[in-house]
Structures are given as structure tokens and as C-alpha cells.
Amino acid sequence: MNPTPHIKTEGTSKFQIGEIIDNTVHYDFEKIKTYLNIKGHMLFGKNFRIYKEDEPLIFKLCCYFIQDHYSCAQMGIDTNKGLLLSGPVGCGKTSLMKLLLHLAPHKTNYELIPTRNIVFNFNTSGYEVLDKYNDTKNYCFDDLGIEPMGSHYAKECNVMGEILLSRYDLFMRHPQIIENRSLSEVEVKAINQQPITNNHSKTHITTNLNAQEIEKRYGSRVRSRLRAMFNLISFDQKAIDKRM
């Protein structure tokens, strides 16, 4: 385990994003933003930057990624659930989910997979692809809703709809330890010191769709399970296209 999770090393440079007090990391959001900007430049190029209008949303995401249970509880975020990050095209959903993986990988990690790739694999390999995601690994399904309908030997399948239902069943078979409630500082400290376990699988999603569009695309069964599985976090619908 990394003895200095509050210090990020990039090449020969070190970035301190918090300090350790009583064996618990206390993160500093201003320092986190500085690090994320630097890391963003490395991952996505010199034009990357964190926009002021996105900072409240990024603060929520950071609290989730560092598993700050107390702050998340105050904002109505359940750290036991996954994230459903929605917003208009080009607002930065995928970039953030790639970038924030580097913030506290000892606490929050997953494999990010474009939904189109999953469907293309299904079209080639068939239903064994569905079984691949019925495990306790953490996944982020990127750009949910832009993938085509699956087809294997002329048999159509709503691939992502089936995978999400399986992920829900898996999630419900592993009841979470912590209820969504306000926690005392003593409880937060005790939780933050607990070792990570792999018996709670999480699913994350990025999507341009709203709840009604998700229901139309994947059915009412999938929509009804969204709140049980996910924290719904959304960009403003007027968020600019940062790729322009």
C-alpha cells in the first residue's frame, strides 16, 4: 500500500494534495485542482483545463473518488454506489472519469470501456461477452446510449441493457456495509482506515441521455434500478462543448 497517498509523483515532480493527520489523509481541494490540471495536460494535451463553472461538480466527484464519506453524505452521495455522470456532448464526462482515476487509485478504481466496443465484441463473440461483466470487478461504461443494437447470428440483443440488469443483480447480492446517513467524525476516521475489499462491485456510467431517454432505450426495468445502483450527477445542460 502506498505510504504517501497524499503525494502524487509525475516524472521528477511531486504534488502534495493533502496531509496525513492521525493516519488519515486530509485532502485539499485547491491543491487537488492544481494536480488535476497538470495531470490533465499530460493525458489530454495543453488545451485541457478545469473550468470554473464545473468546479462544484468536480468537487462532488473528488469527494467520491477519495471516499470522503462525511462530505459525500452531506451532499447526498452514497459512496457505496457507482456514478452515473450525464451531460451534453463534449462537456468532459469521459475525460473526468479517466482523469480522476489517478486521484486516489487505492480507494476508487475501475476499467473504463466504451459501450460501442462491448457491442462490437458481442457481435463477434456472442453471449459470452455478457458473462464477462457478471463479475465483481468495477467498470465504467463510457458513452451509454451511442452504441448500436447488438446482433449475433441475426439474433438481436440490447447488450448494454442486459449487462446493466446483470450488474444490478450482482450489486444487490453484495449488500453494502454503510448506510447513506450522516456520519460522525469518529465514524469517518474509522471507515477511512479500513482496508479496501473487493466484495462490493461498482458500476459507473457516462451518458448523454436523461432518465426518460434511458428508459426508452433500455426499458423501464433498467430505469427503475438506476437510483439503487448509481449516484446521479449531471452537468448543466448548457455546459459548453470543450472539444471545440
Side-chain angles (χ1 to χ4, degrees), residues 24 69-70 183-194:
T24 300
H69 304 291
Y70 181 80
L183 301 173
S184 70
E185 292 184 6
V186 173
E187 289 174 311
V188 171
K189 180 179 177 181
I191 291 167
N192 286 337
Q193 291 177 341
Q194 291 177 357

Side-chain angles (χ1 to χ4, degrees), residues 12-149:
T12 59
S13 301
K14 294 183 182 295
F15 302 89
Q16 184 169 335
I17 59 175
E19 57 182 329
I20 295 180
I21 302 175
D22 295 332
N23 295 319
T24 300
V25 179
H26 293 254
Y27 291 91
D28 184 317
F29 184 57
E30 292 301 316
K31 293 179 179 179
I32 285 176
K33 285 193 299 180
T34 298
Y35 168 70
L36 292 179
N37 266 313
I38 297 296
K39 189 65 177 179
H41 291 155
M42 297 173 65
L43 292 174
F44 310 118
K46 63 181 181 179
N47 292 327
F48 175 87
R49 67 184 175 94
I50 291 177
Y51 289 75
K52 188 71 175 178
E53 59 268 29
D54 293 338
E55 287 186 11
L57 179 143
I58 292 173
F59 177 75
K60 290 182 180 180
L61 293 175
C62 286
C63 288
Y64 177 89
F65 273 78
I66 64 177
Q67 292 288 280
D68 181 344
H69 304 291
Y70 181 80
S71 296
C72 283
Q74 302 308 303
M75 295 184 289
I77 297 172
D78 188 336
T79 54
N80 298 303
K81 297 180 182 181
L83 297 171
L84 193 160
L85 183 60
S86 65
V89 173
C91 66
K93 301 180 296 295
T94 300
S95 295
L96 281 178
M97 292 303 282
K98 289 180 178 178
L99 176 61
L100 289 169
L101 270 174
H102 299 274
L103 182 57
H106 61 296
K107 290 196 172 187
T108 306
N109 61 80
Y110 47 79
E111 182 180 357
L112 189 145
I113 308 174
T115 56
R116 288 179 301 176
N117 292 4
I118 296 174
V119 174
F120 294 155
N121 288 339
F122 173 86
N123 294 345
T124 301
S125 303
Y127 286 85
E128 67 182 53
V129 172
L130 304 186
D131 294 334
K132 174 182 177 181
Y133 301 101
N134 191 22
D135 58 26
T136 56
K137 293 181 181 178
N138 299 331
Y139 295 102
C140 177
F141 299 128
D142 187 38
D143 266 340
L144 183 76
I146 70 167
E147 77 281 356
M149 182 70 70

Side-chain angles (χ1 to χ4, degrees), residues 85-94 143-146 206-209 213 235-244:
L85 183 60
S86 65
V89 173
C91 66
K93 301 180 296 295
T94 300
D143 266 340
L144 183 76
I146 70 167
T206 71
T207 184
N208 303 328
L209 305 181
E213 291 168 332
F235 279 88
D236 191 298
Q237 287 303 308
K238 296 179 181 180
I240 63 171
D241 187 339
K242 301 175 179 67
R243 298 178 298 188
M244 297 179 64

